């Protein structure tokens, strides 16, 4: 860190100059400041940075070469682009700065620091400029984005100045950057001088917190773009010509006004100056309406909106519907005095001059934007969350806090809880496997009126990015995405549906069974590959839909038939069913103890006061934070014992079935187990998946299996019900029947054709179990598949 | 009464005085608020303040204190204004500090110094308020009668009085206080019929006038939630604690009326103004909404406001005060009301019983997503193609403070906007029928539904109704996202067969055995068949004495506010009962049924003024439910195919 004593002679220089910094200060700077160029490329890459770091003393050149350069000459004619976002600063700056120094209580200190900090700033930007040369040639956008948070950790006072006087400080930054850049790369040709764009100022503010004290300060607020205007040409410099002597003059716009020269300086004719439009200089400007994002809003109030002006290349950077963080200067338009009126309206109009846009959800379709996803937790909150996590019964606590108004179904709640946390995201794309699903899908099926819808509603309200749809009411496009022609711009716009919208969230689908087949088919891809491929009206793309699906289905016969398998009860294709990690049955248990507890629960619901309830359960906000924290900070990995336990569990599962000649587990089940174990570790805020997690995952998985994959004929758990839609016993029986039929036909000798009905009757007579027509047809079909016979109408022909 | 005139007629003068005395110390604001709070504490004093609800804007003096009973329809963005500014007298060069609070315009007869160091910028919030939607006529009349503050019309305006006799006219203008004494008593309602009508005509005059005035350009949509509403809309400027108010709250606002024509002049001036880049911040539509002419939408600078628990003029604002006295004869009133409603419901006492329970129900708490205490009632068996439902609605309207009848005709379903929607061009929340104040009754008339196709709007509307019925929430449409607003609306469905409503909602299972999501379905069994329904109902209504009618009104509003609890002992009994019932036949009673039984028991206890559940009441609730389900079963047998 440079101190005034280190550069005593340069300390009081004007802002334009750039005194060298002691080289030893540089590493500090590099460490603390990360410079992001053009919002995309970050120069924190270690290798080049070190290189520059090492070489920087060499590239500094002699001090004299810099001293002579005023900012203008040093930049050798690269056009200065005006910064309308900073207002009419070029004129006012000097004055304003001086007046600041004069008035401010810490005047001497601040003046001192302006010169001095600039140095540090400059050295720091050094890196940026190095990178920039590299960048600018490629990108061609001479913009330097600076994260204010880094600036703050580097020097709080400089940061304070930036926040308080952005209109003065940012141009100073600009100067520093440009001087350094052109000094380093005197030969580079860029479109205009480099502009500094700070972002992430202070704490990201809520629109609701803006108050009059923020006027003319640098602020960052988040919100959603709701409307953008057309491009507005705004005059920056007016060109006047005298109509008498053709003398021309330029007048700069000052605070939105042009001082029209009343007298021609050349010929002294009054009122002869006329504005020449096409020689005046205009800049682009766009009005953007920003609305508070729905998460920031207190309940029961309507969202606030703010007007934002974007200038020059920021125009058309955002579209309506985008979630953005905007850094800019908050302004109140001064009241104009109208000489014709004795009274003035006392209301200021406010707007924000945008300096930097940062789309919060920009990367959502491409990958995780870690920084934007991060939810900010206060230290205190983190401590309470940690405390909660340390409790041994945290898992039970959380699961009972989930939808407390819904009674019992503890295992289902635990399953949903694990779904909320999700597994760890893994990337196997290098080994060709692609992403590995981390989301847990759950299907609830069961009797009507067992509060499935309520559970879904609860989850939908709990998770930040939940979507709630009903199978009956949604079409394939409603779930995925559709292409729409914007009525105004005539552009094709991709509108995303529920599944894409709940990327990184949970998509709750009610009445899953009532969904049409075509709609359901899109779920196949989403539920395993976690992507959504679109090929419509000239748009072909693959969207990420890393969503967990929580679905609810009703049995076909309105009441669950315990004599049938899950597949038969809900009539869903097994290909889809096997994609659910957990399938729970919600049945009416019909026993007395249960009834009693249920009654007690319901009655207490109706007379307990609100406060009592608060005490009894964790509140929803706590649960929300807990989940959000775990999701963003905890990434559990399998420990050695845990992986052994998983292997053992899987082998055991396969063994159960193999004894009876059927397979009771598939690799999909192993993956489910891993996900569940990871989620359980997340619940404990543990970075390691341990044996207890595996145990719980096994238990839950078994519970769910016991309920949904039990073969009603044998009473054994049989996973093939879910994977092939038919239990192994049923398959065996089918096989036997086909063989019996074959034997029957063979016993008849060499007859080429047979009557269908005749054969059926013969088979029935021969068999000791009842054979239905369906079974017979299945057997025939099986033989047809073997190319043994063909069925044409009422005759069976041997081949 | 010079003091009264001071603080009512010139509140700004008082504000200025306090400001001047305080010498810029920041506590002057609290002093102002305390001053007015003190003045308004006295009930009588509060009634001297003229009300915007009854007195047309052009009768009121600009910058005087008025009150407004209103409903927050929308909240605009906060605005910054000159809190303190300095004026310079050009002749003497003396500078004076002035306050810009509670004003729309800064008076600067002198020069305003905008760049002075002493200027303070402050923030205030604007609410767009409309009269309470669906407020019954009797409520309006009763309020306006109890408010003696009549303002002498200014000489420049000659109101068109239609029917008023000369005597009445004089009476009103010269003897306001005498009239107050006359009307304040309980016999006030009898007078309503005499004097209420012409008054209302007068109130309506400006709105018809305004329509004519703005008709030449395009009519200004005042954005009332319900079609056919009348009354002043108002931009209420809130200076303190605006976070405490919510959309759909009902308030009584005391504030300074501002109708300065400058407000409108500025907006007109804009069209011809200089090339100002800032002008494009607001589109024409937005201008029209946010700065409507002050003569149509006056500004009200709030000095004091309180949220209303109810809008029943017969009860004191804090309903609990009145309860103790009234609870003594609650049983007799209930008996009378039951008799009355039985007559109205063509002799069906069971339906009348359920109707009472419905009318006193309210959502008293929410557990996660589950609203507790809602009691949606479906009265089926209403005769089709007759005016019976309309008559029934009239009767209900007579009893409760605010209500709305929505005829569920295909046309209405396909064309009405039920759910409020954000209009981003005009930057406001376009109101919809379902934007209603708490405890409003929504009467859905399903008998008007005919066969035909619902278009996408229709489906959305019906979904919204279904959400309202099952979750007591309305998802306002913000185009890019939806926002959930919890509500508390009593829904009464009159239908011919069983209502279709809950079954069309997407979140509810559509299986034949699914439990009815309307909390309660009662089939009407008429005992009488009067040849002329209309005449029959009106005879019943006429025979009802006004004092009894008032008792009914108090009864229905008051019982909603009572607290309720269940003792340990009864809890145990209820549990035992439930287990017992399940033992016999698990299909007979489900958790849903227990939910409903508990609500019925609660309402039944409250309806006789008991705040705890007793064993008897529980048995009575079970009995009622059995009667009701039996009737539905019977109907099923008769109709066969009815779900």
């Amino acid at each position: 860190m440079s101190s005034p004593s280190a550069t005593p002679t340069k300390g009081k220089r004007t802002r334009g100059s750039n005194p060298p910094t002691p080289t030893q200060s540089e590493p500090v700077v590099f460490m603390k400041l990360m410079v992001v160029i053009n919002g995309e490329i970050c120069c924190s890459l270690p290798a080049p940075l070190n290189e520059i770091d090492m070489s920087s003393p060499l590239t500094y050149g002699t001090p004299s070469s810099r001293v002579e350069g005023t900012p203008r000459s040093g930049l050798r004619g690269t056009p200065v682009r005006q910064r309308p976002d900073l207002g009419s600063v070029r004129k006012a700056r000097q004055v304003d700065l001086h007046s600041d120094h004069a008035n401010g209580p810490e005047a001497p200190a601040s003046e001192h620091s302006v010169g001095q900090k600039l140095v540090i700033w400059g050295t720091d930007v050094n890196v940026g400029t190095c990178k920039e040369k590299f960048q600018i040639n490629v990108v061609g956008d001479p913009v330097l984005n600076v994260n204010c948070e880094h600036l703050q950790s580097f020097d709080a006072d400089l940061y304070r100045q930036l926040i308080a006087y952005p209109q003065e400080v940012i141009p100073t930054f600009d100067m520093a950057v440009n001087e350094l850049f052109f000094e380093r790369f005197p030969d580079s040709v860029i479109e205009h001088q480099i502009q500094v764009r700070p972002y992430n100022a202070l704490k990201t503010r809520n629109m609701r917190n803006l108050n009059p004290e923020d006027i003319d300060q640098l602020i960052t607020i988040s919100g959603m773009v709701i409307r953008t205007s057309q491009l507005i040409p705004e005059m920056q410099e007016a060109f006047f010509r005298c109509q008498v002597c053709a003398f021309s003059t330029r007048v700069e716009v000052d605070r939105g006004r042009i001082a029209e020269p009343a007298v021609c300086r050349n010929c002294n004719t009054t009122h002869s100056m006329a504005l020449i439009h096409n020689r005046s200089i205009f800049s682009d400007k766009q009005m953007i309406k920003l609305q508070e994002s729905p998460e920031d809003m207190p309940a029961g109030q309507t969202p606030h909106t703010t007007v934002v002006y974007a200038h020059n290349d920021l125009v058309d950077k955002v579209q309506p519907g985008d979630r953005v963080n905007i850094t800019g200067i908050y302004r109140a338009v001064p009241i104009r005095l109208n000489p014709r009126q004795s009274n003035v309206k006392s209301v200021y109009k406010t707007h924000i001059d945008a300096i930097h846009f940062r789309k919060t959800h920009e990367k959502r379709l491409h990958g995780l934007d870690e920084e934007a996803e991060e939810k900010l937790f206060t230290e205190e909150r983190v401590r309470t969350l940690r405390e909660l996590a340390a409790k041994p019964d945290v898992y039970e606590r959380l699961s009972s806090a989930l939808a407390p108004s819904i009674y019992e179904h503890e295992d289902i709640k635990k399953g949903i809880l694990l779904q909320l946390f999700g597994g760890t995201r893994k990337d196997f794309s290098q080994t060709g496997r692609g992403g590995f699903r981390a989301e847990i899908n759950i299907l609830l099926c069961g009797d009507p009126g067992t509060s499935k819808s309520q559970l879904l509603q609860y989850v939908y309200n709990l998770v930040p990015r939940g979507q709630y749809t009903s199978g009956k009411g949604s079409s394939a496009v409603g779930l995925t995405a559709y292409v729409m022609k914007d009525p105004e711009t005539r552009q094709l716009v991709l509108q995303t549906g529920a599944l894409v919208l709940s990327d990184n969230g949970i998509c709750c689908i009610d009445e899953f069974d009532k969904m049409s087949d075509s709609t359901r088919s899109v779920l196949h891809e989403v539920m395993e590959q976690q992507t959504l491929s679109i090929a419509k009206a000239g748009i072909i793309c693959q969207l990420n839909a890393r969503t967990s699906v929580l679905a609810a289905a009703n049995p076909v016969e309105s009441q669950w038939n315990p004599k049938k398998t899950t597949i038969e009860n809900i009539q869903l294709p097994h290909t889809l069913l096997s994609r659910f990690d957990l399938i729970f049955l919600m049945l009416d248990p019909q026993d007395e103890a249960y009834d009693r507890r249920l009654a007690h629960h319901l009655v207490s619901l109706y007379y307990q006061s609100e406060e009592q309830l608060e005490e009894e359960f964790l509140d929803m906000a706590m649960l929300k934070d807990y989940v959000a924290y775990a999701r963003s900070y905890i990434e559990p990995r399998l420990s050695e014992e845990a992986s052994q336990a998983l292997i053992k569990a899987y082998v055991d599962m396969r063994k159960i079935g193999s004894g009876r000649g059927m397979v009771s587990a598939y690799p999909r089940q192993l993956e489910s187990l891993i996900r569940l174990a990871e989620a359980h570790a997340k619940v404990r805020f543990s970075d390691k998946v341990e044996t207890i997690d595996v145990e719980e995952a096994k238990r839950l998985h078994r519970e769910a299996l016991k309920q949904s994959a039990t073969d009603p004929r044998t009473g054994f758990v049989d996973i093939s019900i879910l994977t092939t839609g038919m239990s192994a016993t049923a398959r065996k029986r089918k096989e036997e029947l086909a063989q019996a039929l074959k034997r029957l036909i063979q016993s008849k000798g060499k007859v080429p054709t047979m009557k269908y009905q005749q054969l059926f009757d013969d088979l029935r007579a021969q068999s000791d179990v009842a054979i239905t027509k369906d079974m017979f047809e299945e057997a025939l079909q099986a033989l047809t598949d073997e190319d043994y016979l063909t069925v044409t109408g009422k005759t069976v022909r041997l081949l | 009464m010079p003091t009264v005139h001071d603080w009512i007629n010139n509140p700004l003068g008082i504000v200025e005085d306090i400001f001047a005395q305080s010498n810029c110390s920041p506590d002057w604001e609290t002093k102002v608020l305390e001053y007015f709070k003190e003045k308004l504490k006295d009930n009588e004093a509060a009634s001297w303040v003229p009300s915007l609800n009854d007195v047309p804007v052009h009768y009121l003096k600009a910058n005087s204190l008025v009150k407004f009973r209103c409903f927050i329809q929308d909240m605009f963005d906060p605005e910054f204004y000159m809190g303190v500014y300095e004026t310079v007298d050009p002749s003497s060069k003396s500078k004076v500090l002035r306050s810009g609070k509670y004003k729309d315009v800064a008076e600067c007869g002198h020069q305003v110094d905008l760049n002075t160091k002493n200027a303070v910028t402050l923030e205030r919030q604007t609410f767009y308020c409309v009269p309470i939607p669906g407020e019954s006529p009797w409520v309006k009349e009763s309020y306006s009668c109890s408010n003696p503050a009549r303002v002498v019309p200014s000489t420049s305006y000659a109101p068109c009085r239609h029917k008023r006799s000369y005597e009445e006219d004089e009476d009103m203008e010269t003897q306001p206080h005498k009239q107050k004494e006359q009307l304040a008593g309980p016999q006030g309602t009898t007078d309503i019929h005499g004097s209420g009508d012409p008054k209302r005509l007068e109130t309506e005059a400006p709105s018809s006038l305004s329509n004519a005035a703005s008709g030449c350009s395009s009519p200004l949509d005042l954005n009332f939630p319900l079609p056919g509403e009348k009354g002043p809309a108002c931009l209420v400027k809130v200076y303190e604690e605006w976070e405490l108010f919510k959309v759909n709250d009902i308030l009584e606002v005391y504030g300074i009326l501002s109708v300065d024509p400058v407000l409108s002049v500025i907006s007109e001036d804009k069209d011809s103004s200089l090339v100002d880049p800032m002008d494009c911040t607001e589109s024409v539509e937005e201008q029209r909404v946010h700065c409507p002419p002050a003569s149509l939408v006056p500004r009200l600078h709030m000095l004091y406001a309180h949220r209303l628990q109810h809008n029943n003029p017969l009860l004191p604002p804090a309903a609990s005060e009145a309860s103790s006295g009234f609870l003594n004869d609650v049983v007799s009133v209930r008996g009378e009301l039951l008799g009355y409603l039985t007559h109205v419901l063509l002799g069906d006492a069971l339906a009348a019983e359920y109707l009472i329970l419905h009318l006193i129900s309210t959502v008293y708490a929410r557990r996660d997503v589950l609203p507790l205490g809602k009691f949606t009632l479906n009265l089926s068996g209403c005769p089709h193609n007759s005016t019976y439902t309309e008559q029934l609605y009239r009767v209900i309207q007579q009893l409760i403070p605010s209500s709305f009848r929505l005829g569920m005709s295909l046309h209405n379903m396909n064309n009405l906007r039920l759910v409020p929607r954000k209009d981003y061009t005009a930057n406001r929340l376009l109101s919809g029928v379902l934007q209603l104040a708490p405890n409003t009754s929504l009467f859905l008339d399903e008998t008007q539904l005919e066969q035909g196709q619902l278009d996408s709007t229709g489906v959305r509307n019906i979904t919204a109704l279904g959400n309202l019925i099952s979750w007591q929430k309305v998802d306002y449409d913000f185009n890019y996202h939806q926002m959930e607003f919890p509500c508390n609306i009593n829904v009464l469905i009159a239908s011919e067969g069983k209502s279709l409503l809950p079954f069309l909602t997407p979140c509810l299972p559509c299986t034949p055995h699914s439990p009815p999501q309307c909390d309660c379905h009662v089939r009407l069994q008429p005992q009488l068949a009067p040849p002329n329904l209309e005449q029959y109902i009106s005879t019943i209504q006429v025979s009802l004495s006004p004092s009894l009618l008032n008792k009914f009104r108090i009864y229905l509003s008051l019982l909603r506010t009572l607290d309720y609890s269940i003792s340990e002992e009864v809890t145990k009994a209820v549990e035992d009962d439930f287990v017992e019932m399940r033992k016999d036949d698990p299909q007979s009673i489900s958790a849903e049924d227990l939910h409903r039984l508990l609500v019925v028991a609660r309402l039944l206890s409250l309806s006789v003024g008991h705040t705890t559940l007793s064993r008897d009441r529980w048995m009575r609730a079970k009995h009622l439910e059995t009667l009701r389900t039996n009737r539905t079963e019977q109907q099923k047998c008769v109709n066969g195919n009815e779900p």
Side-chain angles (χ1 to χ4, degrees), chain A residues 210-212 215 224-227 232 234 256-257 285 287 289 291 294 297 299-307 309 320-321 330 333 335-338 340-351 403-405 448-449 453-454 457-458 460-461 468 470 472 510-511 514 554 558-559 588 590 592 595-596 598-600 602-603 605-608 610 613 617, chain B residues 74-75 77-82 103-108 111-112 114 121-125 242-243 245-247 265-266 269-270 274 276-278 280-281 286 291 364-370 372 422 424-425 427 429 471 473 478 480-481 483-485 506-511 513 566 568 571-572 574-576 578-579 582-583 586-587 591 594-595 598-599:
Chain A
L210 287 178
N211 60 45
I215 286 177
M224 190 173 65
V225 177
I226 51 169
R227 214 151 64 85
I232 308 161
E234 192 186 39
R257 309 199 126 206
K285 177 173 167 180
M287 196 265 293
K289 274 263 163 92
Q291 182 187 285
M297 237 174 325
Q301 307 222 335
T302 55
H304 286 176
T305 54
T306 318
V307 176
Y309 284 109
Y330 195 41
V333 180
I335 293 163
R336 276 183 298 142
L337 285 176
N338 191 337
R340 282 178 294 164
Q341 285 167 3
S342 61
N343 290 347
V344 290
K345 208 176 163 189
S346 60
V347 177
Y348 294 95
K349 278 190 178 153
T350 52
H351 68 264
S405 65
S453 297
Q454 255 189 61
Q457 277 278 344
Y458 185 87
Y460 158 64
N461 281 311
Y468 185 96
S470 154
K472 225 181 359 162
D510 207 346
E511 298 187 63
K514 304 213 170 37
N554 288 314
S558 82
Q559 201 81 35
D588 215 342
Q590 304 182 354
E592 195 184 317
D595 289 347
R596 180 169 296 279
L598 175 69
H600 181 78
L602 288 184
V603 176
L605 199 70
Y606 274 86
Y607 78 87
Q608 267 180 326
E610 204 66 44
L613 299 174
F617 301 106
Chain B
D74 194 5
M75 293 169 164
D77 296 329
E79 58 188 23
F80 293 172
Y81 66 99
M82 294 195 285
K103 286 181 211 164
D104 279 309
V105 288
E107 301 139 3
C108 33
Q111 198 67 40
V112 175
L114 287 175
T121 309
L122 292 171
E123 191 182 8
R124 69 184 173 205
Q125 166 80 286
W242 51 78
E243 308 87 10
F245 299 105
K246 288 181 171 159
V247 172
V265 170
I266 288 176
D269 198 39
K270 278 269 153 77
L274 329 148
D276 186 329
M278 296 312 158
C280 54
T281 41
E286 205 173 334
C291 310
Y364 65 94
R366 275 171 199 274
R367 288 296 305 274
D368 348 319
V369 288
L370 195 73
L372 297 182
K422 180 84 176 182
Y424 285 115
T425 5
N427 196 14
L429 190 65
W471 308 109
K473 62 164 192 182
F478 280 84
Y480 303 101
H481 60 101
M483 218 151 65
E484 188 180 303
F485 282 79
C507 51
L508 302 169
C510 182
T511 45
H513 286 264
I566 308 178
E568 281 296 320
T571 310
K572 192 84 189 67
V574 169
E575 283 167 35
D576 289 342
F578 180 70
V579 174
R582 296 267 299 180
K583 217 186 255 168
Q587 295 298 317
L594 183 59
H595 266 293
L598 285 166
V599 178

Side-chain angles (χ1 to χ4, degrees), chain A residues 378-621:
Chain A
T378 59
E379 274 176 39
E380 199 182 337
R381 194 69 172 170
V382 171
R383 211 175 316 123
T384 20
L385 292 178
R386 287 259 170 212
E387 266 167 33
L388 184 61
K391 292 199 172 124
D393 59 342
V394 59
Y395 182 52
E396 279 73 26
R397 264 167 193 263
L398 291 176
S399 70
S400 64
L402 194 74
S405 65
I406 297 161
Y407 185 61
E408 289 257 315
H409 301 303
E410 285 305 318
D411 282 333
I412 297 176
K413 284 188 186 175
K414 281 177 180 168
I416 291 177
L417 186 70
L418 294 186
Q419 182 183 35
L420 290 177
F421 284 90
T424 314
R425 192 162 281 137
K426 310 163 194 73
D427 191 9
F428 289 114
S429 46
Q430 293 191 332
T431 50
R433 164 81 201 263
F436 191 92
R437 172 157 68 97
E439 280 74 19
I440 295 169
N441 298 324
I442 294 182
L443 175 69
L444 308 174
C445 39
D447 293 341
T450 41
S451 43
K452 294 189 296 291
S453 297
Q454 255 189 61
L455 258 179
L456 259 58
Q457 277 278 344
Y458 185 87
V459 171
Y460 158 64
N461 281 311
L462 184 72
V463 294
R465 228 177 277 150
Q467 289 292 324
Y468 185 96
T469 66
S470 154
K472 225 181 359 162
S474 44
S475 62
V477 285
L479 279 179
T480 57
Y482 58 100
V483 177
M484 203 184 70
K485 197 166 243 174
D486 192 301
E488 270 178 39
T489 58
R490 320 283 307 154
Q491 271 178 338
L492 286 175
V493 189
L494 194 64
Q495 294 276 343
T496 47
L499 284 172
V500 181
L501 285 177
S502 55
D503 187 24
N504 284 323
I506 293 184
C507 187
C508 302
I509 307 176
D510 207 346
E511 298 187 63
F512 197 60
D513 50 318
K514 304 213 170 37
M515 204 178 255
S516 71
D517 288 341
S518 60
T519 316
R520 232 183 263 140
S521 64
V522 304
L523 285 170
H524 283 130
E525 188 190 349
V526 171
M527 286 176 63
E528 199 57 63
Q529 271 68 47
Q530 307 272 294
T531 54
L532 200 64
S533 307
I534 309 262
K536 285 190 180 89
I539 297 181
I540 298 173
C541 61
Q542 202 174 42
L543 303 174
N544 272 327
R546 288 154 309 182
T547 169
S548 306
V549 175
L550 176 61
N554 288 314
V556 180
E557 305 169 37
S558 82
Q559 201 81 35
W560 188 268
N561 187 344
K563 295 192 179 59
K564 287 185 167 176
T565 62
T566 309
I567 304 272
E568 286 162 333
N569 260 315
I570 50 180
Q571 294 283 318
L572 283 175
H574 55 82
T575 45
L576 200 54
L577 275 188
S578 67
R579 284 170 160 83
F580 284 102
D581 297 83
L582 298 171
I583 299 176
F584 285 109
L585 294 188
M586 285 181 95
L587 299 180
D588 215 342
Q590 304 182 354
D591 86 273
E592 195 184 317
Y594 171 83
D595 289 347
R596 180 169 296 279
R597 288 194 307 258
L598 175 69
H600 181 78
H601 178 77
L602 288 184
V603 176
S604 64
L605 199 70
Y606 274 86
Y607 78 87
Q608 267 180 326
S609 63
E610 204 66 44
E611 298 87 67
Q612 278 172 299
L613 299 174
E614 293 289 319
E615 286 168 24
E616 201 171 325
F617 301 106
L618 292 166
D619 61 335
M620 204 155 155

Side-chain angles (χ1 to χ4, degrees), chain B residues 552-567:
Chain B
F552 289 167
R553 290 166 179 170
I554 295 174
Y555 171 84
L556 292 176
S557 298
L558 190 63
L559 290 180
R560 263 188 190 150
T561 60
L562 293 184
D563 284 326
Y564 172 78
S565 63
I566 308 178
S567 67

Side-chain angles (χ1 to χ4, degrees), chain A residues 177-227:
Chain A
V177 173
N178 283 303
E179 277 166 31
L180 264 159
F181 177 74
F182 286 106
E183 174 190 310
R184 288 286 193 82
F185 310 103
D187 299 329
S188 58
V189 176
I190 51 175
E191 194 189 341
H192 58 83
Q193 289 187 14
I194 299 160
Q195 298 190 342
V196 173
R197 291 197 178 147
Y199 68 95
N200 202 7
L202 205 64
K203 50 188 186 286
T204 302
R205 268 170 183 277
N206 186 334
M207 202 178 290
R208 225 161 256 274
N209 297 337
L210 287 178
N211 60 45
E213 275 123 61
D214 296 320
I215 286 177
D216 283 335
Q217 303 220 335
L218 191 71
I219 53 163
T220 300
I221 58 167
S222 60
M224 190 173 65
V225 177
I226 51 169
R227 214 151 64 85

Side-chain angles (χ1 to χ4, degrees), chain B residues 67-80:
Chain B
K67 64 181 173 195
F68 187 35
R69 195 174 66 257
C70 59
F71 167 84
I72 303 179
Q73 192 269 324
D74 194 5
M75 293 169 164
F76 292 158
D77 296 329
E79 58 188 23
F80 293 172

